[in-house]
Amino acid sequence: VKGETLADTVRIVGSYVDLVVLRHPAAGAARWAARLVSGPVINAGDGSHEHPTQTLCDLYALRRERGHLAGLFVVLYGDLRFGRTTHSLARALVRMGVTILAVADAELELPDFVVRDLLRNPAYGSKWVTLDDLEDVFHRRDVRALLVAPKVALDAVGEGAGFGLRDRAVDAIYVTRLQKERGAGGTGRGLPILDHRFLTSPPFRETVVLHPLPRVKEIAPEVDTNPRAAYFRQAAWGVPIRMALLLWAAGAVDLPRPLHALPAPEPVFGASCGNPSCIVNHPGEMAPQEVGTRPDDVPRCLWCEEETTLRAP
Ligand SMILES: [Zn+2]
């Protein structure tokens, strides 16, 4: 790298190869690259935005461990704001009929753009709940969590009420690390680490533990020998999953296409994205401002999907 732009790099590399796999610090970088090269581009992580290939590995691991996906109850745990893997995973889980409880460190909740996307599914709704009956696990009474579930199941839960997690079995907990390189600060006020005691509390007695790795301190090493610690198996299954993805993208195997494509967004002319981590604000890239809106949704940047950083026309 000698200071050239992403655009020039992918134009050159894209002319040499059959497909491009891109990891980049700017949100929307893979979408930008896909516009500049004629072959397939696989998003291997774009800033704090998305990590769809990790999600394929996560879904496969979850299905291997639990036998199915529909109807599962999964806790997302840790940094859900800067941890891009949970942004992609939450969307996929809701598509698969999974109920999610998003338990985040303070100020690291799932971003609005992800939650809005989850609620675009007409069968799903969300409620903030408290987990005060888990005080002995979390060592605090004020832990709030976002429950994203099929509406029929949500009706039984009061807004802001205690969720009664003690009466439910959590099928899997997906733990993420604090993303220091993406701006998450280590406040020391965070959630407790996952240890043996955590996993023997009533709702977590049968819970499978997933983590996209690398781990920092959020899972105690004593958990590694627990047969429910699935994170190393999850990492190993990433190899066949990514092999299949590469073969599919290269046209060597035929896999089912998505059943439902989203409607094309209506452009919002004149609005611009103020997110400093977005590809449109990445120096030298020349990615054009593109803001759009879909039915029953708010305008957002089409690169990073942020709605809170938009500047009005
Ligand atoms: Zn943007």
Side-chain angles (χ1 to χ4, degrees):
V1 178
K2 299 175 182 176
E4 71 270 40
T5 60
L6 170 68
D8 282 2
T9 305
V10 298
R11 281 187 188 108
I12 299 291
V13 174
S15 71
Y16 296 160
V17 299
D18 294 321
L19 62 92
V20 173
V21 179
L22 178 73
R23 173 168 293 184
H24 194 272
R31 186 171 178 268
W32 178 225
R35 195 170 292 185
L36 300 170
V37 301
S38 56
V41 174
I42 293 174
N43 183 3
D46 60 329
S48 295
H49 178 223
E50 286 249 40
H51 198 344
T53 66
Q54 179 65 45
T55 287
L56 293 177
C57 304
D58 299 340
L59 289 179
Y60 183 72
L62 188 56
R63 205 178 73 170
R64 285 286 297 245
E65 296 291 332
R66 304 261 51 153
H68 62 102
L69 293 172
L72 291 181
F73 179 41
V74 174
V75 170
L76 305 178
Y77 188 77
D79 173 5
L80 307 184
R81 181 168 170 220
F82 295 98
R84 60 192 172 194
T85 61
T86 54
H87 302 168
S88 301
L89 179 61
R91 301 185 211 223
L93 290 175
V94 163
R95 272 192 190 201
M96 299 293 168
V98 175
T99 292
I100 297 171
L101 186 69
V103 184
D105 276 306
E107 294 170 21
L108 297 175
E109 291 90 1
L110 275 179
D112 290 348
F113 76 81
V114 176
V115 176
R116 278 189 190 279
D117 213 43
L118 303 181
L119 300 182
R120 198 184 278 149
N121 183 328
Y124 268 73
S126 71
K127 270 177 186 163
W128 282 100
V129 294
T130 59
L131 304 178
D132 38 8
D133 62 343
L134 282 190
E135 190 185 355
D136 54 336
V137 177
F138 292 117
H139 314 295
R140 313 170 8 200
R141 293 195 66 86
D142 61 340
V143 175
R144 284 195 329 151
L146 186 68
L147 179 66
V148 183
K151 281 177 181 159
V152 283
L154 267 189
D155 288 345
V157 181
E159 185 75 47
F163 181 49
L165 194 57
R166 200 163 275 292
D167 307 327
R168 293 157 208 263
V170 175
D171 293 299
I173 185 166
Y174 187 90
V175 188
T176 63
R177 80 195 151 92
L178 212 56
Q179 302 274 328
K180 288 209 177 77
E181 73 272 29
R182 296 190 218 293
T187 61
R189 302 184 290 126
L191 298 165
I193 65 167
L194 213 81
D195 55 12
H196 180 66
R197 189 172 152 275
F198 191 116
L199 286 176
T200 48
S201 68
F204 299 103
R205 269 187 199 144
E206 314 253 311
T207 307
V208 164
V209 183
L210 298 171
H211 191 303
L213 302 180
R215 150 181 65 177
V216 185
K217 287 179 184 164
E218 53 282 339
I219 299 177
E222 68 186 24
V223 174
D224 297 353
T225 52
N226 187 319
R228 292 185 280 130
Y231 31 92
F232 296 121
R233 295 191 290 276
Q234 176 190 4
W237 287 326
V239 176
I241 288 293
R242 289 184 165 104
M243 287 167 71
L245 180 65
L246 289 169
L247 287 170
W248 172 75
V253 293
D254 203 16
L255 293 172
R257 303 263 158 185
L259 289 175
H260 307 289
L262 285 173
E266 291 287 324
V268 177
F269 295 107
S272 61
C273 176
N275 175 4
S277 306
C278 180
I279 190 71
V280 292
N281 297 316
H282 212 67
E285 288 304 332
M286 310 291 281
Q289 291 284 350
E290 288 181 6
V291 176
T293 185
R294 291 191 169 96
D296 305 320
D297 206 351
V298 297
R300 9 174 163 179
C301 171
L302 298 182
W303 301 99
C304 68
E305 295 190 275
E306 281 287 351
E307 58 201 58
T308 53
T309 55
L310 284 189
R311 294 180 292 239

